[in-house]
Amino acid sequence: MRKFKALLKKDWYIHKKSILTPFWIIAAFYLINIIFITGAYFSGNLDIISQNDLEQVPADAVSFIANSVITVFPGLLLLLFVIITTQGALNEDRRLKYELFHRSQPVSIWQMTASKFSVGVLGNYLIFIIISILNAMVLNVILFNIDAFHFSSALYGMLFAQLIYLKGALIIGAFAFFMSSIFESAAFFKFISIMIALNIIILIINGIYGWQIPTPMKYFRMIINTMPAMDNLSNDNFLVSEIIKASWKGIVFSMQTLYQLIAVAVLYAGGTFIYSRKEIA
């Protein structure tokens, strides 16, 4: 356990600047908004949402949707920085000329790669959690002041989005991590380029010969799709409580989630296996 903690500290130190970058982006976003709001307030052009604007929408629906939607921008930053961090995870030691030293230590190769994967995915996700909580606090103060706040719906809305982005970070991170065992730089983007090229070739072949060869991008989209199915909801059943129930079941207790977790495990194990067979530089 002490060895693994040491590895985590080492990998955190390497990627700390990248992982903390979303904080500065969000801080700049808030600063810009404060400047514009202050200017609008003193010029008399500040239009505040009133309760009358939302009188046709139940407070629980407003709270659930708003707390889900407000995580979109931090969530996109999360996925971007997971890619940036994990696509070079298995090449950082080589790039920094430390690979021979670290690989010669009495530490399991699985502990080494688990540390790199954990910092790349869960380290970025922790920053996302902190940012989303801060955003939710600001949002819910506003909703409370206009009588559109519903505690449980707001909480479920935030958890709903956080679970979706956790799955997304794990899946995208696992693909990028695996590709880092094959390519030495820009691994994930090279993978996407190859996927696009294969799709174009297959589409051309299908168009010429009338074949029905499935494209790899189709299966890739199926694996990375983290949105839960809402097939059981009807127009008459479109209540926040039912959405929460259906989304929780779709995100956590579903075969799709099981397949995705298996894919993450296979990609992690495959990346570790390839990395263990590469020549130490």
Side-chain angles (χ1 to χ4, degrees):
M1 184 59 71
R2 289 182 180 178
K3 292 178 181 179
F4 188 65
K5 283 184 178 180
L7 289 170
L8 287 174
K9 288 180 180 179
K10 184 264 294 183
D11 289 319
W12 166 258
Y13 179 78
I14 291 174
H15 297 291
K16 181 172 64 174
K17 288 184 179 179
S18 174
I19 291 174
L20 292 177
T21 299
F23 266 136
W24 303 113
I25 295 175
I26 295 296
F29 175 78
Y30 272 113
L31 179 61
I32 292 170
N33 275 275
I34 289 171
I35 292 171
F36 277 110
I37 290 171
T38 303
Y41 176 79
F42 285 107
S43 65
N45 295 323
L46 183 62
D47 295 324
I48 301 297
I49 298 174
S50 67
Q51 185 177 1
N52 293 331
D53 297 320
L54 300 171
E55 60 183 3
Q56 302 299 323
V57 185
D60 59 347
V62 173
S63 293
F64 180 84
I65 294 170
N67 280 272
S68 300
V69 171
I70 201 172
T71 62
V72 170
F73 181 54
L76 293 177
L77 288 177
L78 164 68
L79 298 180
L80 174 61
F81 281 92
V82 164
I83 292 172
I84 291 173
T85 306
T86 54
Q87 71 170 349
L90 298 179
N91 295 299
E92 283 299 319
D93 290 343
R94 183 184 296 257
R95 183 180 66 82
L96 296 171
K97 309 298 183 183
Y98 293 153
E99 186 175 30
L100 180 60
F101 171 75
H102 289 140
R103 292 284 292 275
S104 62
Q105 300 302 306
V107 180
S108 165
I109 191 74
W110 293 94
Q111 284 186 313
M112 292 177 61
T113 57
S115 171
K116 295 174 185 295
F117 186 74
S118 297
V119 170
V121 176
L122 300 182
N124 280 292
Y125 185 70
L126 176 61
I127 301 302
F128 164 73
I129 290 290
I130 296 172
I131 291 173
S132 63
I133 289 174
L134 293 174
N135 285 349
M137 290 171 63
V138 174
L139 170 68
N140 289 307
V141 167
I142 296 172
L143 293 180
F144 181 81
N145 286 328
I146 60 174
D147 296 327
F149 175 68
H150 188 272
F151 177 77
S152 61
S153 296
L155 180 62
Y156 278 119
M158 185 174 64
L159 291 176
F160 169 77
Q162 288 177 352
L163 285 172
I164 286 177
Y165 283 110
L166 174 59
K167 287 174 63 177
L170 283 170
I171 297 163
I172 295 294
F175 270 106
F177 180 86
F178 177 77
M179 289 300 148
S180 74
S181 68
I182 300 174
F183 302 108
E184 291 191 4
S185 62
F188 186 79
F189 297 105
K190 288 178 180 177
F191 163 67
I192 293 296
S193 299
I194 292 171
M195 290 277 285
I196 292 173
L198 285 174
N199 272 265
I200 292 173
I201 292 171
I202 291 173
L203 289 173
I204 291 172
I205 292 174
N206 287 345
I208 294 174
Y209 297 103
W211 295 347
Q212 298 295 324
I213 302 174
T215 59
M217 191 64 76
K218 174 184 176 181
Y219 296 103
F220 179 67
R221 287 199 305 267
M222 288 172 59
I223 294 174
I224 66 172
N225 179 24
T226 59
M227 289 299 295
M230 299 289 189
D231 299 335
N232 296 328
L233 292 176
S234 63
N235 292 331
D236 298 330
N237 202 28
F238 203 73
L239 301 173
V240 171
S241 59
E242 296 299 327
I243 296 174
I244 291 171
K245 188 185 301 182
S247 61
W248 184 259
K249 182 178 179 181
I251 294 173
V252 181
F253 305 106
S254 68
M255 292 303 297
Q256 180 192 30
T257 298
L258 178 60
Y259 295 146
Q260 289 170 333
L261 291 177
I262 291 173
V264 169
V266 170
L267 289 167
Y268 165 72
T272 299
F273 178 78
I274 294 173
Y275 177 65
S276 68
R277 294 296 185 271
K278 292 177 72 172
E279 183 179 353
I280 298 176

